[in-house]
């Protein structure tokens, strides 16, 4: 069973049960996303909401090994080498109109924002281990100085 966003926020001490009930009441009447309303109504930091959302998403996400997953050139061509490393994501394939992407749980919010804002297409995300992602990125988006051994945090290009 996947926990609801409000339940996770209560567990993390971000909201009380009464606050969750109030957000749900407003959500029912407006149809707006729970996290967006919680930010506005209770001055939650967007990063806190994103972390909880990533935890919720990760609980139900498929986990894969991107080193052995088939990767389509059509998907790879949608993202530049720099973007793949910077946003810690590996496009795997296109299913219908949807882009299937692999990333890590920690990088899920950034990868999601990038895909929806820059690629402007529906996407689904699979999750993997950071070292496995780094090895797969090196295979599909080789970049000098980037490898599983040297990658302890997401790639941030020099200005």
């Amino acid at each position: 069973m996947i926990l609801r966003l409000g339940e996770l926020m209560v567990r993390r001490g971000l909201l009380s049960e009464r606050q969750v009930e109030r957000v749900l009441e407003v959500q029912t009447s407006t149809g707006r996303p729970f996290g967006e309303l919680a930010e506005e109504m209770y001055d939650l930091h967007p990063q806190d909401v994103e972390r909880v959302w990533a935890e919720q998403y990760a609980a139900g996400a498929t986990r894969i090994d991107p080193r052995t997953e088939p990767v389509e050139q059509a998907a790879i061509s949608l993202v530049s080498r720099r973007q793949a490393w910077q946003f810690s994501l590996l496009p795997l394939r296109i299913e219908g109109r949807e882009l299937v992407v692999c990333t890590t749980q920690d990088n899920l919010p950034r990868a999601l924002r990038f895909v929806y804002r820059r690629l402007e297409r529906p996407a689904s995300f699979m999750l993997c281990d950071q070292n496995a992602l780094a090895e797969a990125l090196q295979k599909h988006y080789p970049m000098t100085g980037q490898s599983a051994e040297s990658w302890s945090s997401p790639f941030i290009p020099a200005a």
Side-chain angles (χ1 to χ4, degrees), residues 78-79 82-83 86-87 89 110-121:
L78 295 173
V79 175
R82 179 180 176 275
Q83 291 168 330
Q86 182 177 358
F87 295 100
L89 58 89
R110 290 183 76 224
L112 180 84
R113 278 193 310 272
F114 169 76
V115 168
Y116 287 117
R117 289 181 183 164
R118 298 285 188 218
L119 303 182
E120 299 177 346
R121 67 182 315 139

Side-chain angles (χ1 to χ4, degrees), residues 7 11 50 77 96-97 106 108 125 153:
E7 294 173 75
R11 285 187 179 186
E50 283 182 347
S77 68
R97 291 196 59 242
D106 289 344
L108 183 59
F125 289 81
S153 62

Side-chain angles (χ1 to χ4, degrees), residues 8-26:
L8 288 169
M9 288 183 174
V10 169
R11 285 187 179 186
R12 302 295 167 258
L14 296 171
L15 295 176
S16 69
E17 289 184 17
R18 177 64 192 126
Q19 289 171 321
V20 168
E21 290 171 14
R22 181 67 187 125
V23 172
L24 289 171
E25 289 169 8
V26 174

Side-chain angles (χ1 to χ4, degrees), residues 70-159:
V71 177
E72 296 175 359
Q73 186 58 41
I76 289 289
S77 68
L78 295 173
V79 175
S80 73
R81 178 185 344 239
R82 179 180 176 275
Q83 291 168 330
W85 283 97
Q86 182 177 358
F87 295 100
S88 305
L89 58 89
L90 176 65
L92 298 171
R93 63 186 161 273
I94 300 170
E95 294 178 350
R97 291 196 59 242
E98 185 175 81
L99 178 64
V100 179
V101 180
C102 180
T103 190
T104 65
Q105 180 174 336
D106 289 344
N107 290 301
L108 183 59
R110 290 183 76 224
L112 180 84
R113 278 193 310 272
F114 169 76
V115 168
Y116 287 117
R117 289 181 183 164
R118 298 285 188 218
L119 303 182
E120 299 177 346
R121 67 182 315 139
S124 63
F125 289 81
M126 297 182 166
L127 300 179
C128 68
D129 171 79
Q130 182 169 316
N131 286 335
L133 180 60
E135 288 178 26
L137 287 175
Q138 188 59 36
K139 176 181 176 183
H140 297 286
Y141 294 103
M143 182 174 274
T144 304
Q146 292 296 317
S147 67
E149 294 79 32
S150 67
W151 198 42
S152 59
S153 62
F155 170 70
I156 306 298

Side-chain angles (χ1 to χ4, degrees), residues 9 14 39 43-54:
M9 288 183 174
L14 296 171
E39 285 177 28
D43 199 32
L44 295 182
H45 195 283
Q47 286 182 325
D48 289 333
V49 174
E50 283 182 347
R51 272 197 229 55
V52 174
W53 173 84

